[in-house]
Amino acid sequence: MTSSTISCTPARSDTTNSEISPVLPRIGVVGLGNMGRALTSSLLTRGFAVSVFSRSQAPLGELEKQGAQKVSSISALGACNVLFSSLSDDDALESVTSQKGGLLDSLAPGALHISTSTVSPEISRRLSQAHDSRQQQFVAAPILGNPDLVQSQRMFVLLSGHAQACEKARVILEPIALRIILLGQDPGAANLMKLACNVLTASTLQSMGEVIALLRKAGMDEQIAFDIFTSTMFDGRVHKSYGGKIVQQRYRPAGMVIPLAQKDLRLALQEARNLEVPMPTTSLVHDRLGAAVDKGWSALDWSALGALAAVEAGLDTNV
């Protein structure tokens, strides 16, 4: 598998993990936000033994009821063969991995760190080298899909890193993913692709918010408009799922909160500057997300770009 390789695993069957591998590894999960909790729940339903760590006690109760084992420190996850991290940004991933008593210090030689976080390509490359120096393995495996899709095992996974580590990760991910897309040996490739996907999603939300506000202001029925959009030329997953949130003004609970979306566009723009690629639309949408944060909407889903368009058009909105 070279750095330019792009391939996809076939759609998974409905076999159980015990049919896929006779010996299941002990899996650890660090980072129990919305995505981390959904990922843990999905692993548990497939029969994996899962240990979890969180500084906050709030997410642990329900996961323990499902069979997860709570541990008191990151270092206690060192007994795991495979470690998933689901963290908010570069700083959080760096801290959990590189701090004293963190994953680098704790994982055994041969253990695999699967980073599902949406982070910069640079940090994945750096952490991959750090794990290599400890005879550990690292792959970037950011997820396309909201927590509901993760928990229902309908997520898409972008996967990159050393070939042997990717194959080891694939065996773990295949039972809980709808599709795994291999993007080569550069650990940063999967992260860059995830940022690109989030740029397209955010740009779509901005555009749908604008046209729905236009039609509402003209007195037209936005539900009819939504039905026309999604049954003709704009029938993609993003148009249907997030467009539906805009039309229904359903911005809670958030699948992706606005500050995280803003962070992802900032990382994409940083890569664009490094590669000298103009991205004017991305810059505009990044600023629109910032305007939503300034309104105190940090807890809302990023589809609240539609609410911002409505408010600025003088329309009522439910936020």
Side-chain angles (χ1 to χ4, degrees), residues 93 112-117 119-121 123-125 128 137-143 157-162 165-166 169 173 180-192:
L93 178 59
L112 172 64
H113 176 186
I114 301 175
S115 169
T116 65
S117 306
V119 291
S120 69
I123 193 173
S124 285
R125 294 170 185 138
S128 180
Q137 296 176 308
F138 174 92
V139 295
I143 294 167
V157 180
L158 307 171
L159 181 63
S160 65
H162 298 322
C166 281
L173 289 164
I180 301 166
I181 303 163
L182 302 175
L183 291 167
Q185 298 202 58
D186 172 12
N191 295 122
L192 183 57

PDB file of all heavy atoms in Angstrom, residues 93 112-117 119-121 123-125 128 137-143 157-162 165-166 169 173 180-192:
ATOM      1  N   LEU A  93      -5.183  15.417  21.746  1.00  0.00           N
ATOM      2  CA  LEU A  93      -4.549  14.187  21.281  1.00  0.00           C
ATOM      3  C   LEU A  93      -3.076  14.158  21.682  1.00  0.00           C
ATOM      4  O   LEU A  93      -2.566  13.120  22.135  1.00  0.00           O
ATOM      5  CB  LEU A  93      -4.692  14.064  19.763  1.00  0.00           C
ATOM      6  CG  LEU A  93      -4.041  12.844  19.110  1.00  0.00           C
ATOM      7  CD1 LEU A  93      -4.600  11.548  19.686  1.00  0.00           C
ATOM      8  CD2 LEU A  93      -4.227  12.890  17.596  1.00  0.00           C
ATOM      9  N   LEU A 112      -1.533  -1.118  19.155  1.00  0.00           N
ATOM     10  CA  LEU A 112      -1.984  -0.239  18.075  1.00  0.00           C
ATOM     11  C   LEU A 112      -2.833   0.896  18.626  1.00  0.00           C
ATOM     12  O   LEU A 112      -3.807   0.659  19.348  1.00  0.00           O
ATOM     13  CB  LEU A 112      -2.808  -1.043  17.060  1.00  0.00           C
ATOM     14  CG  LEU A 112      -3.521  -0.251  15.964  1.00  0.00           C
ATOM     15  CD1 LEU A 112      -2.526   0.450  15.064  1.00  0.00           C
ATOM     16  CD2 LEU A 112      -4.430  -1.180  15.150  1.00  0.00           C
ATOM     17  N   HIS A 113      -2.475   2.119  18.274  1.00  0.00           N
ATOM     18  CA  HIS A 113      -3.250   3.312  18.595  1.00  0.00           C
ATOM     19  C   HIS A 113      -4.020   3.727  17.335  1.00  0.00           C
ATOM     20  O   HIS A 113      -3.419   4.068  16.314  1.00  0.00           O
ATOM     21  CB  HIS A 113      -2.311   4.433  19.054  1.00  0.00           C
ATOM     22  CG  HIS A 113      -2.988   5.735  19.332  1.00  0.00           C
ATOM     23  ND1 HIS A 113      -2.277   6.889  19.635  1.00  0.00           N
ATOM     24  CD2 HIS A 113      -4.296   6.110  19.355  1.00  0.00           C
ATOM     25  CE1 HIS A 113      -3.118   7.880  19.838  1.00  0.00           C
ATOM     26  NE2 HIS A 113      -4.346   7.429  19.666  1.00  0.00           N
ATOM     27  N   ILE A 114      -5.352   3.693  17.406  1.00  0.00           N
ATOM     28  CA  ILE A 114      -6.216   4.114  16.310  1.00  0.00           C
ATOM     29  C   ILE A 114      -6.803   5.472  16.675  1.00  0.00           C
ATOM     30  O   ILE A 114      -7.640   5.576  17.564  1.00  0.00           O
ATOM     31  CB  ILE A 114      -7.345   3.097  16.061  1.00  0.00           C
ATOM     32  CG1 ILE A 114      -6.775   1.724  15.736  1.00  0.00           C
ATOM     33  CG2 ILE A 114      -8.259   3.579  14.930  1.00  0.00           C
ATOM     34  CD1 ILE A 114      -7.837   0.630  15.597  1.00  0.00           C
ATOM     35  N   SER A 115      -6.361   6.522  16.000  1.00  0.00           N
ATOM     36  CA  SER A 115      -6.848   7.873  16.281  1.00  0.00           C
ATOM     37  C   SER A 115      -8.024   8.183  15.368  1.00  0.00           C
ATOM     38  O   SER A 115      -7.872   8.299  14.151  1.00  0.00           O
ATOM     39  CB  SER A 115      -5.738   8.905  16.061  1.00  0.00           C
ATOM     40  OG  SER A 115      -6.264  10.218  16.076  1.00  0.00           O
ATOM     41  N   THR A 116      -9.211   8.321  15.963  1.00  0.00           N
ATOM     42  CA  THR A 116     -10.404   8.655  15.178  1.00  0.00           C
ATOM     43  C   THR A 116     -10.679  10.160  15.179  1.00  0.00           C
ATOM     44  O   THR A 116     -11.676  10.604  14.621  1.00  0.00           O
ATOM     45  CB  THR A 116     -11.636   7.924  15.728  1.00  0.00           C
ATOM     46  OG1 THR A 116     -11.937   8.397  17.041  1.00  0.00           O
ATOM     47  CG2 THR A 116     -11.403   6.418  15.770  1.00  0.00           C
ATOM     48  N   SER A 117      -9.804  10.932  15.797  1.00  0.00           N
ATOM     49  CA  SER A 117     -10.024  12.370  15.956  1.00  0.00           C
ATOM     50  C   SER A 117      -9.881  13.106  14.629  1.00  0.00           C
ATOM     51  O   SER A 117      -9.113  12.705  13.748  1.00  0.00           O
ATOM     52  CB  SER A 117      -9.023  12.943  16.964  1.00  0.00           C
ATOM     53  OG  SER A 117      -9.065  12.238  18.183  1.00  0.00           O
ATOM     54  N   VAL A 119      -8.162  15.886  13.306  1.00  0.00           N
ATOM     55  CA  VAL A 119      -7.005  16.690  13.712  1.00  0.00           C
ATOM     56  C   VAL A 119      -6.179  17.017  12.478  1.00  0.00           C
ATOM     57  O   VAL A 119      -6.499  16.601  11.360  1.00  0.00           O
ATOM     58  CB  VAL A 119      -6.152  15.935  14.760  1.00  0.00           C
ATOM     59  CG1 VAL A 119      -6.895  15.816  16.090  1.00  0.00           C
ATOM     60  CG2 VAL A 119      -5.750  14.554  14.254  1.00  0.00           C
ATOM     61  N   SER A 120      -5.097  17.739  12.685  1.00  0.00           N
ATOM     62  CA  SER A 120      -4.242  18.128  11.561  1.00  0.00           C
ATOM     63  C   SER A 120      -3.463  16.922  11.042  1.00  0.00           C
ATOM     64  O   SER A 120      -3.116  16.017  11.809  1.00  0.00           O
ATOM     65  CB  SER A 120      -3.273  19.227  11.992  1.00  0.00           C
ATOM     66  OG  SER A 120      -2.309  18.713  12.897  1.00  0.00           O
ATOM     67  N   PRO A 121      -3.149  16.904   9.750  1.00  0.00           N
ATOM     68  CA  PRO A 121      -2.292  15.838   9.228  1.00  0.00           C
ATOM     69  C   PRO A 121      -0.932  15.805   9.917  1.00  0.00           C
ATOM     70  O   PRO A 121      -0.375  14.727  10.152  1.00  0.00           O
ATOM     71  CB  PRO A 121      -2.154  16.200   7.747  1.00  0.00           C
ATOM     72  CG  PRO A 121      -3.378  16.997   7.427  1.00  0.00           C
ATOM     73  CD  PRO A 121      -3.668  17.781   8.674  1.00  0.00           C
ATOM     74  N   ILE A 123       0.009  16.395  13.037  1.00  0.00           N
ATOM     75  CA  ILE A 123       0.115  15.716  14.329  1.00  0.00           C
ATOM     76  C   ILE A 123       0.058  14.198  14.161  1.00  0.00           C
ATOM     77  O   ILE A 123       0.748  13.460  14.884  1.00  0.00           O
ATOM     78  CB  ILE A 123      -0.951  16.204  15.327  1.00  0.00           C
ATOM     79  CG1 ILE A 123      -0.591  15.716  16.734  1.00  0.00           C
ATOM     80  CG2 ILE A 123      -2.344  15.744  14.932  1.00  0.00           C
ATOM     81  CD1 ILE A 123      -1.465  16.263  17.832  1.00  0.00           C
ATOM     82  N   SER A 124      -0.704  13.709  13.205  1.00  0.00           N
ATOM     83  CA  SER A 124      -0.723  12.264  12.972  1.00  0.00           C
ATOM     84  C   SER A 124       0.635  11.772  12.494  1.00  0.00           C
ATOM     85  O   SER A 124       1.097  10.703  12.913  1.00  0.00           O
ATOM     86  CB  SER A 124      -1.808  11.898  11.958  1.00  0.00           C
ATOM     87  OG  SER A 124      -3.089  11.973  12.547  1.00  0.00           O
ATOM     88  N   ARG A 125       1.270  12.527  11.628  1.00  0.00           N
ATOM     89  CA  ARG A 125       2.607  12.129  11.167  1.00  0.00           C
ATOM     90  C   ARG A 125       3.597  12.119  12.325  1.00  0.00           C
ATOM     91  O   ARG A 125       4.413  11.201  12.450  1.00  0.00           O
ATOM     92  CB  ARG A 125       3.068  13.086  10.070  1.00  0.00           C
ATOM     93  CG  ARG A 125       2.234  12.981   8.796  1.00  0.00           C
ATOM     94  CD  ARG A 125       2.544  14.081   7.807  1.00  0.00           C
ATOM     95  NE  ARG A 125       1.650  14.013   6.641  1.00  0.00           N
ATOM     96  CZ  ARG A 125       1.084  15.058   6.057  1.00  0.00           C
ATOM     97  NH1 ARG A 125       1.316  16.284   6.521  1.00  0.00           N
ATOM     98  NH2 ARG A 125       0.293  14.897   5.028  1.00  0.00           N
ATOM     99  N   SER A 128       2.783   9.206  14.738  1.00  0.00           N
ATOM    100  CA  SER A 128       3.147   7.935  14.124  1.00  0.00           C
ATOM    101  C   SER A 128       4.636   7.652  14.322  1.00  0.00           C
ATOM    102  O   SER A 128       5.036   6.526  14.673  1.00  0.00           O
ATOM    103  CB  SER A 128       2.799   7.948  12.639  1.00  0.00           C
ATOM    104  OG  SER A 128       3.135   6.714  12.020  1.00  0.00           O
ATOM    105  N   GLN A 137       2.326   0.867  17.189  1.00  0.00           N
ATOM    106  CA  GLN A 137       1.747   1.177  15.884  1.00  0.00           C
ATOM    107  C   GLN A 137       0.711   2.288  16.019  1.00  0.00           C
ATOM    108  O   GLN A 137       0.088   2.447  17.066  1.00  0.00           O
ATOM    109  CB  GLN A 137       1.097  -0.078  15.285  1.00  0.00           C
ATOM    110  CG  GLN A 137       2.078  -1.204  14.995  1.00  0.00           C
ATOM    111  CD  GLN A 137       1.386  -2.444  14.491  1.00  0.00           C
ATOM    112  OE1 GLN A 137       0.452  -2.941  15.101  1.00  0.00           O
ATOM    113  NE2 GLN A 137       1.844  -2.970  13.355  1.00  0.00           N
ATOM    114  N   PHE A 138       0.550   3.032  14.930  1.00  0.00           N
ATOM    115  CA  PHE A 138      -0.397   4.151  14.917  1.00  0.00           C
ATOM    116  C   PHE A 138      -1.048   4.232  13.546  1.00  0.00           C
ATOM    117  O   PHE A 138      -0.379   4.099  12.516  1.00  0.00           O
ATOM    118  CB  PHE A 138       0.330   5.466  15.213  1.00  0.00           C
ATOM    119  CG  PHE A 138      -0.538   6.702  15.092  1.00  0.00           C
ATOM    120  CD1 PHE A 138      -1.212   7.196  16.197  1.00  0.00           C
ATOM    121  CD2 PHE A 138      -0.682   7.363  13.878  1.00  0.00           C
ATOM    122  CE1 PHE A 138      -2.008   8.330  16.110  1.00  0.00           C
ATOM    123  CE2 PHE A 138      -1.486   8.492  13.768  1.00  0.00           C
ATOM    124  CZ  PHE A 138      -2.139   8.977  14.895  1.00  0.00           C
ATOM    125  N   VAL A 139      -2.358   4.473  13.527  1.00  0.00           N
ATOM    126  CA  VAL A 139      -3.061   4.803  12.283  1.00  0.00           C
ATOM    127  C   VAL A 139      -4.021   5.955  12.555  1.00  0.00           C
ATOM    128  O   VAL A 139      -4.516   6.126  13.672  1.00  0.00           O
ATOM    129  CB  VAL A 139      -3.858   3.609  11.708  1.00  0.00           C
ATOM    130  CG1 VAL A 139      -2.930   2.488  11.276  1.00  0.00           C
ATOM    131  CG2 VAL A 139      -4.911   3.118  12.688  1.00  0.00           C
ATOM    132  N   ALA A 140      -4.253   6.739  11.527  1.00  0.00           N
ATOM    133  CA  ALA A 140      -5.320   7.748  11.566  1.00  0.00           C
ATOM    134  C   ALA A 140      -6.568   7.121  10.961  1.00  0.00           C
ATOM    135  O   ALA A 140      -6.512   6.543   9.870  1.00  0.00           O
ATOM    136  CB  ALA A 140      -4.913   8.989  10.792  1.00  0.00           C
ATOM    137  N   ALA A 141      -7.684   7.223  11.683  1.00  0.00           N
ATOM    138  CA  ALA A 141      -8.938   6.617  11.220  1.00  0.00           C
ATOM    139  C   ALA A 141     -10.110   7.532  11.524  1.00  0.00           C
ATOM    140  O   ALA A 141     -11.049   7.144  12.236  1.00  0.00           O
ATOM    141  CB  ALA A 141      -9.130   5.248  11.866  1.00  0.00           C
ATOM    142  N   PRO A 142     -10.098   8.762  11.011  1.00  0.00           N
ATOM    143  CA  PRO A 142     -11.244   9.651  11.254  1.00  0.00           C
ATOM    144  C   PRO A 142     -12.513   9.083  10.637  1.00  0.00           C
ATOM    145  O   PRO A 142     -12.478   8.358   9.643  1.00  0.00           O
ATOM    146  CB  PRO A 142     -10.824  10.965  10.591  1.00  0.00           C
ATOM    147  CG  PRO A 142      -9.784  10.581   9.597  1.00  0.00           C
ATOM    148  CD  PRO A 142      -9.071   9.400  10.170  1.00  0.00           C
ATOM    149  N   ILE A 143     -13.617   9.443  11.256  1.00  0.00           N
ATOM    150  CA  ILE A 143     -14.918   8.853  10.925  1.00  0.00           C
ATOM    151  C   ILE A 143     -15.784   9.853  10.171  1.00  0.00           C
ATOM    152  O   ILE A 143     -15.874  11.022  10.553  1.00  0.00           O
ATOM    153  CB  ILE A 143     -15.634   8.401  12.214  1.00  0.00           C
ATOM    154  CG1 ILE A 143     -14.860   7.244  12.871  1.00  0.00           C
ATOM    155  CG2 ILE A 143     -17.074   8.013  11.948  1.00  0.00           C
ATOM    156  CD1 ILE A 143     -15.303   6.952  14.286  1.00  0.00           C
ATOM    157  N   VAL A 157     -15.147   4.956   7.476  1.00  0.00           N
ATOM    158  CA  VAL A 157     -13.866   5.214   8.128  1.00  0.00           C
ATOM    159  C   VAL A 157     -12.817   5.491   7.071  1.00  0.00           C
ATOM    160  O   VAL A 157     -12.647   4.714   6.111  1.00  0.00           O
ATOM    161  CB  VAL A 157     -13.424   4.023   8.997  1.00  0.00           C
ATOM    162  CG1 VAL A 157     -12.078   4.316   9.660  1.00  0.00           C
ATOM    163  CG2 VAL A 157     -14.463   3.714  10.060  1.00  0.00           C
ATOM    164  N   LEU A 158     -12.106   6.599   7.220  1.00  0.00           N
ATOM    165  CA  LEU A 158     -10.953   6.931   6.390  1.00  0.00           C
ATOM    166  C   LEU A 158      -9.718   6.442   7.129  1.00  0.00           C
ATOM    167  O   LEU A 158      -9.496   6.811   8.289  1.00  0.00           O
ATOM    168  CB  LEU A 158     -10.881   8.440   6.160  1.00  0.00           C
ATOM    169  CG  LEU A 158     -12.150   9.088   5.604  1.00  0.00           C
ATOM    170  CD1 LEU A 158     -12.026  10.615   5.637  1.00  0.00           C
ATOM    171  CD2 LEU A 158     -12.427   8.608   4.191  1.00  0.00           C
ATOM    172  N   LEU A 159      -8.895   5.637   6.486  1.00  0.00           N
ATOM    173  CA  LEU A 159      -7.808   4.955   7.194  1.00  0.00           C
ATOM    174  C   LEU A 159      -6.486   5.142   6.473  1.00  0.00           C
ATOM    175  O   LEU A 159      -6.382   4.903   5.263  1.00  0.00           O
ATOM    176  CB  LEU A 159      -8.143   3.460   7.288  1.00  0.00           C
ATOM    177  CG  LEU A 159      -7.143   2.552   8.004  1.00  0.00           C
ATOM    178  CD1 LEU A 159      -6.997   2.940   9.472  1.00  0.00           C
ATOM    179  CD2 LEU A 159      -7.590   1.084   7.885  1.00  0.00           C
ATOM    180  N   SER A 160      -5.445   5.582   7.220  1.00  0.00           N
ATOM    181  CA  SER A 160      -4.111   5.684   6.630  1.00  0.00           C
ATOM    182  C   SER A 160      -3.053   5.445   7.692  1.00  0.00           C
ATOM    183  O   SER A 160      -3.259   5.688   8.879  1.00  0.00           O
ATOM    184  CB  SER A 160      -3.902   7.045   5.955  1.00  0.00           C
ATOM    185  OG  SER A 160      -3.921   8.109   6.897  1.00  0.00           O
ATOM    186  N   GLY A 161      -1.897   4.974   7.236  1.00  0.00           N
ATOM    187  CA  GLY A 161      -0.774   4.653   8.108  1.00  0.00           C
ATOM    188  C   GLY A 161       0.005   3.502   7.514  1.00  0.00           C
ATOM    189  O   GLY A 161      -0.263   3.060   6.385  1.00  0.00           O
ATOM    190  N   HIS A 162       0.981   3.000   8.249  1.00  0.00           N
ATOM    191  CA  HIS A 162       1.782   1.890   7.751  1.00  0.00           C
ATOM    192  C   HIS A 162       0.888   0.706   7.409  1.00  0.00           C
ATOM    193  O   HIS A 162      -0.106   0.429   8.102  1.00  0.00           O
ATOM    194  CB  HIS A 162       2.827   1.477   8.781  1.00  0.00           C
ATOM    195  CG  HIS A 162       3.814   2.564   9.111  1.00  0.00           C
ATOM    196  ND1 HIS A 162       4.309   3.426   8.165  1.00  0.00           N
ATOM    197  CD2 HIS A 162       4.389   2.922  10.289  1.00  0.00           C
ATOM    198  CE1 HIS A 162       5.154   4.273   8.740  1.00  0.00           C
ATOM    199  NE2 HIS A 162       5.212   3.997  10.027  1.00  0.00           N
ATOM    200  N   ALA A 165      -0.063  -1.851  10.141  1.00  0.00           N
ATOM    201  CA  ALA A 165      -0.953  -1.277  11.153  1.00  0.00           C
ATOM    202  C   ALA A 165      -2.357  -1.088  10.592  1.00  0.00           C
ATOM    203  O   ALA A 165      -3.357  -1.311  11.287  1.00  0.00           O
ATOM    204  CB  ALA A 165      -0.386   0.048  11.647  1.00  0.00           C
ATOM    205  N   CYS A 166      -2.464  -0.671   9.323  1.00  0.00           N
ATOM    206  CA  CYS A 166      -3.784  -0.491   8.709  1.00  0.00           C
ATOM    207  C   CYS A 166      -4.526  -1.813   8.604  1.00  0.00           C
ATOM    208  O   CYS A 166      -5.745  -1.872   8.822  1.00  0.00           O
ATOM    209  CB  CYS A 166      -3.638   0.137   7.324  1.00  0.00           C
ATOM    210  SG  CYS A 166      -3.370   1.926   7.352  1.00  0.00           S
ATOM    211  N   ALA A 169      -5.801  -2.638  11.999  1.00  0.00           N
ATOM    212  CA  ALA A 169      -6.946  -1.779  12.314  1.00  0.00           C
ATOM    213  C   ALA A 169      -8.176  -2.196  11.527  1.00  0.00           C
ATOM    214  O   ALA A 169      -9.303  -2.174  12.041  1.00  0.00           O
ATOM    215  CB  ALA A 169      -6.604  -0.323  12.026  1.00  0.00           C
ATOM    216  N   LEU A 173     -12.017  -2.671  12.738  1.00  0.00           N
ATOM    217  CA  LEU A 173     -13.019  -1.704  12.289  1.00  0.00           C
ATOM    218  C   LEU A 173     -14.102  -2.318  11.414  1.00  0.00           C
ATOM    219  O   LEU A 173     -15.241  -1.855  11.405  1.00  0.00           O
ATOM    220  CB  LEU A 173     -12.325  -0.570  11.521  1.00  0.00           C
ATOM    221  CG  LEU A 173     -11.475   0.382  12.357  1.00  0.00           C
ATOM    222  CD1 LEU A 173     -10.548   1.196  11.458  1.00  0.00           C
ATOM    223  CD2 LEU A 173     -12.367   1.304  13.177  1.00  0.00           C
ATOM    224  N   ILE A 180     -14.758   0.979   4.838  1.00  0.00           N
ATOM    225  CA  ILE A 180     -13.441   1.473   5.236  1.00  0.00           C
ATOM    226  C   ILE A 180     -12.700   1.865   3.968  1.00  0.00           C
ATOM    227  O   ILE A 180     -12.591   1.061   3.031  1.00  0.00           O
ATOM    228  CB  ILE A 180     -12.645   0.412   6.013  1.00  0.00           C
ATOM    229  CG1 ILE A 180     -13.404  -0.006   7.269  1.00  0.00           C
ATOM    230  CG2 ILE A 180     -11.262   0.931   6.388  1.00  0.00           C
ATOM    231  CD1 ILE A 180     -12.863  -1.267   7.914  1.00  0.00           C
ATOM    232  N   ILE A 181     -12.181   3.072   3.930  1.00  0.00           N
ATOM    233  CA  ILE A 181     -11.495   3.596   2.746  1.00  0.00           C
ATOM    234  C   ILE A 181     -10.031   3.771   3.096  1.00  0.00           C
ATOM    235  O   ILE A 181      -9.679   4.585   3.964  1.00  0.00           O
ATOM    236  CB  ILE A 181     -12.124   4.918   2.291  1.00  0.00           C
ATOM    237  CG1 ILE A 181     -13.611   4.724   2.024  1.00  0.00           C
ATOM    238  CG2 ILE A 181     -11.417   5.449   1.038  1.00  0.00           C
ATOM    239  CD1 ILE A 181     -14.409   6.003   1.966  1.00  0.00           C
ATOM    240  N   LEU A 182      -9.164   2.999   2.443  1.00  0.00           N
ATOM    241  CA  LEU A 182      -7.728   3.033   2.701  1.00  0.00           C
ATOM    242  C   LEU A 182      -7.080   4.109   1.841  1.00  0.00           C
ATOM    243  O   LEU A 182      -7.272   4.150   0.625  1.00  0.00           O
ATOM    244  CB  LEU A 182      -7.114   1.669   2.387  1.00  0.00           C
ATOM    245  CG  LEU A 182      -7.692   0.475   3.164  1.00  0.00           C
ATOM    246  CD1 LEU A 182      -7.075  -0.832   2.663  1.00  0.00           C
ATOM    247  CD2 LEU A 182      -7.446   0.639   4.652  1.00  0.00           C
ATOM    248  N   LEU A 183      -6.287   4.964   2.487  1.00  0.00           N
ATOM    249  CA  LEU A 183      -5.720   6.130   1.801  1.00  0.00           C
ATOM    250  C   LEU A 183      -4.201   6.143   1.802  1.00  0.00           C
ATOM    251  O   LEU A 183      -3.589   7.184   1.612  1.00  0.00           O
ATOM    252  CB  LEU A 183      -6.259   7.411   2.448  1.00  0.00           C
ATOM    253  CG  LEU A 183      -7.747   7.664   2.204  1.00  0.00           C
ATOM    254  CD1 LEU A 183      -8.279   8.747   3.117  1.00  0.00           C
ATOM    255  CD2 LEU A 183      -7.982   8.042   0.746  1.00  0.00           C
ATOM    256  N   GLY A 184      -3.569   5.006   2.026  1.00  0.00           N
ATOM    257  CA  GLY A 184      -2.137   4.924   1.879  1.00  0.00           C
ATOM    258  C   GLY A 184      -1.364   4.999   3.173  1.00  0.00           C
ATOM    259  O   GLY A 184      -1.931   4.997   4.270  1.00  0.00           O
ATOM    260  N   GLN A 185      -0.041   5.062   3.058  1.00  0.00           N
ATOM    261  CA  GLN A 185       0.835   4.935   4.209  1.00  0.00           C
ATOM    262  C   GLN A 185       1.146   6.246   4.907  1.00  0.00           C
ATOM    263  O   GLN A 185       1.720   6.231   6.001  1.00  0.00           O
ATOM    264  CB  GLN A 185       2.137   4.246   3.792  1.00  0.00           C
ATOM    265  CG  GLN A 185       1.905   2.825   3.269  1.00  0.00           C
ATOM    266  CD  GLN A 185       3.144   1.965   3.358  1.00  0.00           C
ATOM    267  OE1 GLN A 185       3.701   1.765   4.424  1.00  0.00           O
ATOM    268  NE2 GLN A 185       3.574   1.454   2.211  1.00  0.00           N
ATOM    269  N   ASP A 186       0.802   7.367   4.317  1.00  0.00           N
ATOM    270  CA  ASP A 186       0.988   8.651   4.989  1.00  0.00           C
ATOM    271  C   ASP A 186      -0.083   8.797   6.069  1.00  0.00           C
ATOM    272  O   ASP A 186      -1.269   8.900   5.752  1.00  0.00           O
ATOM    273  CB  ASP A 186       0.874   9.788   3.975  1.00  0.00           C
ATOM    274  CG  ASP A 186       0.857  11.174   4.629  1.00  0.00           C
ATOM    275  OD1 ASP A 186       1.157  11.285   5.840  1.00  0.00           O
ATOM    276  OD2 ASP A 186       0.540  12.149   3.908  1.00  0.00           O
ATOM    277  N   PRO A 187       0.293   8.808   7.364  1.00  0.00           N
ATOM    278  CA  PRO A 187      -0.724   8.882   8.414  1.00  0.00           C
ATOM    279  C   PRO A 187      -1.588  10.132   8.342  1.00  0.00           C
ATOM    280  O   PRO A 187      -2.720  10.136   8.832  1.00  0.00           O
ATOM    281  CB  PRO A 187       0.104   8.869   9.714  1.00  0.00           C
ATOM    282  CG  PRO A 187       1.419   8.288   9.328  1.00  0.00           C
ATOM    283  CD  PRO A 187       1.654   8.722   7.912  1.00  0.00           C
ATOM    284  N   GLY A 188      -1.069  11.202   7.710  1.00  0.00           N
ATOM    285  CA  GLY A 188      -1.832  12.437   7.626  1.00  0.00           C
ATOM    286  C   GLY A 188      -2.870  12.456   6.521  1.00  0.00           C
ATOM    287  O   GLY A 188      -3.738  13.342   6.496  1.00  0.00           O
ATOM    288  N   ALA A 189      -2.823  11.484   5.605  1.00  0.00           N
ATOM    289  CA  ALA A 189      -3.711  11.518   4.446  1.00  0.00           C
ATOM    290  C   ALA A 189      -5.177  11.410   4.857  1.00  0.00           C
ATOM    291  O   ALA A 189      -6.040  12.113   4.323  1.00  0.00           O
ATOM    292  CB  ALA A 189      -3.341  10.396   3.474  1.00  0.00           C
ATOM    293  N   ALA A 190      -5.475  10.514   5.805  1.00  0.00           N
ATOM    294  CA  ALA A 190      -6.865  10.349   6.231  1.00  0.00           C
ATOM    295  C   ALA A 190      -7.383  11.613   6.903  1.00  0.00           C
ATOM    296  O   ALA A 190      -8.548  11.988   6.730  1.00  0.00           O
ATOM    297  CB  ALA A 190      -6.983   9.155   7.182  1.00  0.00           C
ATOM    298  N   ASN A 191      -6.508  12.287   7.659  1.00  0.00           N
ATOM    299  CA  ASN A 191      -6.925  13.526   8.314  1.00  0.00           C
ATOM    300  C   ASN A 191      -7.219  14.626   7.307  1.00  0.00           C
ATOM    301  O   ASN A 191      -8.202  15.362   7.455  1.00  0.00           O
ATOM    302  CB  ASN A 191      -5.853  13.991   9.290  1.00  0.00           C
ATOM    303  CG  ASN A 191      -5.654  13.026  10.439  1.00  0.00           C
ATOM    304  OD1 ASN A 191      -4.562  12.534  10.637  1.00  0.00           O
ATOM    305  ND2 ASN A 191      -6.700  12.738  11.191  1.00  0.00           N
ATOM    306  N   LEU A 192      -6.389  14.747   6.283  1.00  0.00           N
ATOM    307  CA  LEU A 192      -6.634  15.773   5.270  1.00  0.00           C
ATOM    308  C   LEU A 192      -7.932  15.485   4.525  1.00  0.00           C
ATOM    309  O   LEU A 192      -8.713  16.405   4.246  1.00  0.00           O
ATOM    310  CB  LEU A 192      -5.459  15.855   4.302  1.00  0.00           C
ATOM    311  CG  LEU A 192      -5.554  16.942   3.235  1.00  0.00           C
ATOM    312  CD1 LEU A 192      -5.735  18.324   3.858  1.00  0.00           C
ATOM    313  CD2 LEU A 192      -4.325  16.921   2.327  1.00  0.00           C
TER     314      LEU A 192
END
